[in-house]
Amino acid sequence: MIEVSREGAVALIRLNRPKQLNALNSALAAQMIAAVRELDADVEVGCLVITGNERAFAAGADIAEMAGLSAQEMAAQDFFGEWEVFARSRKPKIAAVNGYALGGGCELMMMCDFAIAGQGAKFGQPEVKLGVMAGIGGTQRMARLIGRARAMDMHLTGRMMDAAEALQAGLVARVVPDTEVLPQAMEAARVIASYSRPAVRLIREAIGRAEEVSLAEGLLFERRVFHGLFGTPDQQEGMAAFLEKRAAVFRGD
């Protein structure tokens, strides 16, 4: 239900349930998580790109799979809990979004570090229309990304947001022509993968920390991490290359 390919240090994961608009079911989740675990352990991989197809990044979770389950069964299975493995992946993740990113698809996008969207992309959390709510982090991540008022609007009305509004709100990082989504995401991934792996990893951790701690604690964390990077060969190479007016060659240590 997914296709994994490699281009140098970049791994591309493509959701592959076109008839279901890439709806997320348990089998797809298991395959995605297995792939991410393997890629996380691969020192040659510097960045992941997650994408769907022209019609949909992912149009939600698979309703048919869960419609008949009871509250007790949902809790016993910790339904959707496995997606935290994806969220905690230590590799940078870029979502390349065309078409619909709704419900679980929007949540999958928000679990990535940032998203590049096509001009025709549509975003939403329409779970309220089904008598439920988001369950893969939609209320929590969206509130942090676009603020309380907009998150309330999206979740309580179930409306869709177009790409221009998503960019203005901060839900996505870039909006580009639909045909340029994957090429630009892959290029961004190649750039990220070319940098020092420790620096990239710690930048991600520091920005993530900003969502969870006070400004004073975040500043202290950032400063301590900044100091620590001066113990890495990549820092020495990066600064030497700058002074020598040449391109840095990072080894990833």
Side-chain angles (χ1 to χ4, degrees):
M1 295 185 180
I2 65 170
E3 297 174 347
V4 182
S5 58
R6 288 275 299 274
E7 291 188 18
V10 176
L12 173 65
I13 302 177
R14 186 185 294 275
L15 306 185
N16 189 35
R17 298 188 74 205
K19 291 182 180 179
Q20 297 81 17
L21 296 180
N22 296 325
L24 310 180
N25 63 5
S26 297
L28 187 151
Q31 292 176 29
M32 175 73 83
I33 289 157
V36 167
R37 279 182 166 142
E38 183 176 341
L39 294 167
D40 245 6
D42 189 336
V43 296
E44 299 300 319
V45 174
C47 193
L48 312 181
V49 174
I50 317 299
T51 196
N53 56 39
E54 295 82 4
R55 292 183 64 201
F57 177 72
D62 194 325
I63 305 304
E65 181 180 52
M66 67 179 110
L69 298 177
S70 67
Q72 291 83 358
E73 288 170 324
M74 294 292 279
Q77 296 178 35
D78 192 21
F79 210 87
F80 289 152
E82 68 272 24
W83 281 106
E84 284 305 304
V85 175
F86 177 87
R88 292 195 302 268
S89 165
R90 301 182 77 194
K91 302 289 186 184
K93 300 181 291 295
I94 301 172
V97 181
N98 281 114
Y100 295 109
L102 305 176
C106 191
E107 291 170 296
L108 175 61
M109 179 193 79
M110 291 189 288
M111 282 188 272
C112 296
D113 293 305
F114 64 91
I116 296 176
Q119 292 170 334
K122 302 285 187 182
F123 309 88
Q125 298 287 166
E127 291 88 350
V128 69
K129 297 180 181 181
L130 303 176
V132 293
M133 61 179 283
I136 323 179
T139 61
Q140 304 305 297
R141 292 189 175 95
M142 186 171 282
R144 285 165 169 78
L145 283 169
I146 68 175
R148 178 182 184 277
R150 274 197 166 110
M152 285 285 192
D153 179 16
M154 296 298 293
H155 284 266
L156 291 177
T157 69
R159 75 176 180 89
M160 285 194 288
M161 178 184 284
D162 65 20
E165 184 182 358
L167 179 63
Q168 191 274 333
L171 188 61
V172 302
R174 308 182 199 174
V175 172
V176 301
D178 291 343
T179 57
E180 286 297 307
V181 171
L182 189 56
Q184 290 207 26
M186 293 296 290
E187 178 57 25
R190 283 189 286 271
V191 169
I192 292 168
S194 74
Y195 293 143
S196 165
R197 302 292 166 80
V200 167
R201 183 174 66 251
L202 291 169
I203 288 167
R204 294 180 66 243
E205 290 183 14
I207 293 174
R209 185 68 62 97
E211 298 175 337
E212 299 174 357
V213 302
S214 70
L215 176 60
E217 291 171 324
L219 290 171
L220 180 60
F221 178 82
E222 178 189 82
R223 194 159 61 249
R224 293 292 180 257
V225 169
F226 171 70
H227 294 162
L229 283 169
F230 278 72
T232 65
D234 277 350
Q235 171 269 326
Q236 296 169 19
E237 164 62 11
M239 292 193 173
F242 176 82
L243 294 173
E244 294 165 11
K245 296 181 171 52
R246 60 176 175 81
V249 180
F250 295 114
R251 300 188 316 182
D253 53 13

